Amino acid sequence: MKIALVGDYPPPFGGVSVHVAALAQALRTRGVEVRVLDVGRGDHRGPAIAPARGAFPYAAQLARAAAEGRLVHVHTSGANLKSWLVALTASRARLPGSPRPLLTLHSGLLPRYLASRRGRRALAKMVCSGFGHVLAVSGQVADALERSGVARANLSVVPAFLAAQLVPGEPPSTVGVFRASHAPVFCAALAPTATYGEDLLLSAFEAVRQQLSQAGLVVFGPGSARPASHGWGVLALGEIEHGAALGVIQACDVFVRSTRADGDSLSVREALTLGRVVVASAVGQRPPGCLLFRAGDAVDLEHRMVEAARLPAPGGGRTAPVPDCFERVLAIYRSLVRRRPIPSDSAHLDQTPCSMP
């Protein structure tokens, strides 16, 4: 089996790019030949990574993948026109008799994007019809696709999480110093968009400090270290590599996901797997074990953060039981390559779609 993964590749370290890199590594450990077609802004290149940003490089790399008989697996947001055009191009780039490609849609903004215009829903239906199967990272994303006319039998809910590839690295040295003078310590991944709820997080944390005066907050991600005052008790790290980010989560007490919208958050599943208490907005698909707050409500977020600070780490800090979906994805690959029906346990839209490894 030969696979071509289409998507962003890290750095930058986003949910899609981190998942694409982890999936490529997991496949290689099983002896699968993988090439990543990097359509992101990292412009990566190497023996198994091909830069494919821009119409002509992308078309050329897809043509090469088709000539090599690769199964193409596209990872994209589904929340803007460009992502649908990326998927459309990949759906057409195959030779007669070759396996139909696979599509994973990641963004929690997809339902709102499709709901706003009939033409968008028509495009989504048409694009998805060119794929052998479509994976949605949450039930909400799958429901939005079904409302657009995508056949239920062609959809599976598969969160983009591979526990076996979770390897924490060393956090920045400033985290240890910060940890020594603050307790409890919260942490969060941020990006410079309103969707990530940085304003909610900082407002809630300021209120938390009124009750827990020694509390600290560590933030990381693009835009988190820009020249702006985060207030007392906040350590801003900026963008750091993924292993270091996992080290930060492991070094803290509570992970906070303050987003206003989500598909399925990779960082939430990572934090649970690392044995952290997790506070997350009640959007998208959240695995069991999270303390949920009303999305957009800073006061409710504050209450959940205080509650979380008083809880022990799940299982005394041992790894939490978060499902790993690699075997399910691999089974779908095999079905597509062999031109067989997708296994029945991965062709329905359930809310806890993956079995434990």
Side-chain angles (χ1 to χ4, degrees):
M1 185 160 55
K2 296 189 291 186
I3 305 292
L5 298 178
V6 175
D8 293 3
Y9 193 84
F13 296 92
V16 175
S17 65
V18 167
H19 176 66
V20 167
L23 180 56
Q25 180 59 34
L27 288 168
R28 289 178 187 124
T29 63
R30 292 295 188 91
V32 178
E33 184 185 333
V34 182
R35 178 179 298 124
V36 176
L37 310 190
D38 178 19
V39 297
R41 58 188 176 89
D43 193 30
H44 304 288
R45 62 189 69 229
I49 305 172
R53 187 181 188 189
F56 291 113
Y58 184 42
Q61 291 299 333
L62 285 173
R64 178 181 175 184
E68 294 172 346
R70 294 180 184 272
L71 170 64
V72 174
H73 184 181
V74 179
H75 293 262
T76 192
S77 71
N80 55 61
L81 178 59
K82 179 181 177 181
S83 72
W84 285 107
L85 294 179
V86 165
L88 175 62
T89 304
S91 71
R92 304 289 178 86
R94 67 188 186 96
L95 299 177
S98 61
R100 298 182 73 194
L102 180 65
L103 173 64
T104 294
L105 295 164
H106 289 259
S107 180
L109 298 175
L110 177 149
R112 185 186 310 169
Y113 177 79
L114 294 184
S116 65
R117 294 184 185 177
R118 182 182 301 176
R120 292 174 177 177
R121 296 191 293 276
L123 176 62
K125 177 183 177 181
M126 185 268 290
V127 172
C128 289
S129 68
F131 287 84
H133 204 65
V134 178
L135 306 183
V137 297
S138 73
Q140 291 86 343
V141 169
D143 289 345
L145 292 169
E146 189 178 1
R147 288 192 295 269
S148 299
V150 180
R152 176 177 287 260
N154 200 40
L155 289 167
S156 293
V157 179
V158 180
F161 177 66
L162 305 174
Q165 302 302 311
L166 197 66
V167 182
E170 285 295 321
S173 59
T174 51
V175 174
V177 176
F178 187 80
R179 165 95 256 188
S181 58
H182 294 83
V185 176
F186 301 88
C187 66
L190 298 177
T193 69
T195 301
Y196 275 74
E198 179 181 0
D199 56 330
L200 300 172
L201 176 64
L202 296 179
S203 176
F205 179 68
E206 184 177 353
V208 168
R209 290 264 297 182
Q210 300 301 313
Q211 303 176 63
L212 305 170
S213 60
Q214 296 303 308
L217 172 64
V218 180
V219 294
F220 57 89
S224 63
R226 62 186 180 277
S229 173
H230 288 293
W232 295 103
V234 179
L235 174 63
L237 300 175
E239 187 168 19
I240 55 179
E241 62 96 13
H242 185 235
L246 294 176
V248 170
I249 294 173
Q250 194 171 53
C252 295
D253 301 300
V254 178
F255 179 79
V256 183
R257 181 75 172 179
S258 55
T259 46
R260 290 179 167 89
D262 248 330
D264 180 82
S265 170
L266 174 62
S267 58
V268 164
R269 293 180 182 271
E270 290 171 338
L272 288 171
T273 301
L274 293 173
R276 300 303 90 199
V277 179
V278 173
V279 175
S281 52
V283 294
Q285 184 160 311
R286 303 301 191 201
C290 298
L291 292 177
L292 301 181
F293 74 94
R294 292 184 296 274
D297 189 333
V299 174
D300 198 29
L301 173 55
E302 170 211 339
H303 293 163
R304 298 290 81 76
M305 289 174 70
V306 171
E307 180 184 353
R310 293 169 177 162
L311 292 175
R318 295 189 297 274
T319 298
V322 181
D324 184 310
C325 296
F326 177 69
E327 295 298 335
R328 187 164 179 176
V329 172
L330 195 59
I332 293 173
Y333 283 171
R334 289 172 177 146
S335 296
L336 291 172
V337 169
R338 297 168 183 170
R339 298 167 183 77
R340 296 177 180 175
I342 301 299
S344 59
D345 65 347
S346 56
H348 63 280
L349 307 182
D350 54 19
Q351 295 301 305
T352 53
C354 301
S355 60
M356 291 300 299

